[in-house]
Every structure is written in C-alpha cells, then in structure tokens.
Amino acid sequence: MKILQPLPMPEKKIGVLSFDFDGTLDCPKSDPRLDPEFFEIIKDFREVGWVWGVNTGRSQMQMLSGFMEGKFPFLPDFMVAREREIYTPGGMNRWLPVLEWNKRSEKDHKKVYKRSRKFLKVVQDYVENETDAEWVSEVGDPAGIIGKSEEEMAGIVAFIDGQIGGYRDLGYLRNTIYLRFSHKDYHKGTSLAEVARRCGVEKEQVFAIGDGHNDIDMLRREYAGMIACPGNADDEVKAHVREQGGYVCEQRASKGVIEAFHHFFD
Ligand SMILES: [Mg+2]
C-alpha cells in the first residue's frame, strides 16, 4: 500500500471542510471517479488555513482502501469513520483515534445497546423472518442491517420507526441498503462539531457536503454554515438541503463538490 501523508498543518486554522466519501467524493460510475481538480482546490484551501476531512459511514479500515480507490495524492487532516469515530493521521498510513471522544462514544453505545436489547431482538427477528435482508453483528457494532434493495430497507425503516420512540437515546443511521443502530447523540453532525471545536473554528466557517441519508445530520445549520449536496444526492437529501437554505449542485459527485466550492467561495 502506498504511503500517503497529509499536507503540513497550517499554523492557524480558519475553517473546516467535511466531505462524505461514497457518492460524494468518490463515484465509481464517473470517469475519473474522483476529479483530480478537487485536490488542487484543497491545496489552495489549505494554504489559507482550512482543514479538511472525510466524514463517512465506512469503518476506518474500509476508508483506507477508499483512499487508494479515489487515488488520493495526500491524506485528509481528519477522518470520521462509522459516522462517529474521529481519527487524525499518525504517519505510515496509521490513524490515531481521538481518544476522549471515541471512548465516550463507545461507552455510550454500549449502554444504549444494552438498554435496547429487547427491541433490537424484535427487529432482528423481524429482519430474519419477514424480509430477505441480513442482520449483521460485529464487534463494537452489534446491530446492523443490510437490505436487498432500497425499497425493502424503506419497509424495515417503517417497522423500526413505529416502535423506536420508546427507547431512550437509541437512533439509527441509514445509507442506501445499509442501516446501523447507534446512540442518537453520535452522528456525522456531532462528530463534525467536535472536529470544529478542536480546531477552534466556529460553525459559520464549516462547510459540509454529502449525498445520502446519513449525511442529513451534518447538513444542518447547527453544525455547518455552508451546506451542499451533489446532483446525485437522494431526493430526501436535496429537499433537506433546500429547506436548510443550502446549495443543491447540478453536477454529480466530485464535480458537484467543485461546483459547491465555486458557489460558496468564489
Ligand atoms: Mg454517500
């Protein structure tokens, strides 16, 4: 694996740029799948003190292959993995967890999974017996679902929404056919706010762009002063971005990201 480095950190950080990865920066159907002009623009941002990062539902390990697939010439300054774990580059392709935040998140997640286990069992039984979807349980991430189609996932979400209200602090994050249960205080939005806080940056100087349902949490005025989605975003995401007074791009994926830069920063 090629060793990538981040750009040297600016002395004073003046803003934070947050990008969803799949469908926003990276689009396997586009050619090139990630427009190299994006990285040229990032270099300009970096020179004047903007830091940038990938804010994804992927795990940290899955994101490492994403950097290769997207042909990143250098690493981002931060990574939010599984919508809630914050990492910074630690050299030699290693990523260092922001321990204070990640540990608190882990502890809160353990608690909420324990408190909600009856309900999670009900959902598991439903998924395994009434649908073709798969129930996925992994270390640190014990309650996930992979649907066969987005229509099927919509049905599963309706089932969950009908009952989840009675379970304090339990939430879920959905992206196309994937869903994972999580603590409702941890998502792309709160993770981004924590990154901005650590950089000493106000939300007015935060830019966020994403295309999927799990991006809605960061595409909110309470976390980002500049909000956008690429032209290929889900209709629900586009409607949300408009409602927040954000910018809906004409162009898809990374070309849309570049379009959003021009809209907000020209
Ligand atoms: Mg996406």
Side-chain angles (χ1 to χ4, degrees), residues 20-26 55-57 175-176 188 209-215 230 232 234:
D20 168 50
F21 183 68
D22 294 280
T24 301
L25 284 186
D26 186 55
N55 197 335
T56 179
N175 188 19
T176 63
K188 289 190 179 195
I209 185 166
D211 72 312
H213 194 269
N214 62 344
D215 293 307
N232 55 299
D234 291 346

Side-chain angles (χ1 to χ4, degrees), residues 45 48 62 96 137 191:
F45 272 109
V48 291
Q62 289 166 335
L96 306 175
S137 192
S191 301

Side-chain angles (χ1 to χ4, degrees), residues 22-131:
D22 294 280
T24 301
L25 284 186
D26 186 55
C27 176
K29 281 180 257 172
S30 300
D31 186 25
R33 53 191 288 169
L34 204 174
D35 193 324
E37 191 193 342
F38 167 77
F39 295 104
E40 293 306 312
I41 298 175
I42 287 290
K43 278 188 204 161
D44 295 340
F45 272 109
R46 276 304 248 87
E47 267 175 31
V48 291
W50 287 76
V51 298
W52 73 292
V54 169
N55 197 335
T56 179
R58 287 189 181 216
S59 69
Q60 189 223 139
M61 287 305 288
Q62 289 166 335
M63 196 53 236
L64 297 187
S65 44
F67 294 137
M68 299 300 137
E69 289 152 19
K71 294 201 168 71
F72 279 49
F74 47 83
L75 288 178
D77 304 312
F78 67 89
M79 176 206 306
V80 173
R82 294 202 300 192
E83 293 110 352
R84 66 179 191 240
E85 298 161 8
I86 307 173
Y87 297 89
T88 54
M92 302 303 282
N93 287 356
R94 281 171 62 243
W95 286 80
L96 306 175
V98 172
L99 281 176
E100 189 196 359
W101 173 266
N102 293 6
K103 282 208 183 298
R104 193 190 332 148
S105 161
E106 205 184 313
K107 208 170 100 198
D108 287 346
H109 276 87
K110 269 191 190 144
K111 268 194 261 177
V112 78
Y113 291 137
K114 200 171 163 196
R115 203 158 51 215
S116 316
R117 64 177 179 269
K118 263 194 201 152
F119 173 61
L120 294 175
K121 186 75 178 81
V122 167
V123 179
Q124 182 179 358
D125 288 345
Y126 169 77
V127 165
E128 289 179 341
N129 298 317
E130 313 284 333
T131 75

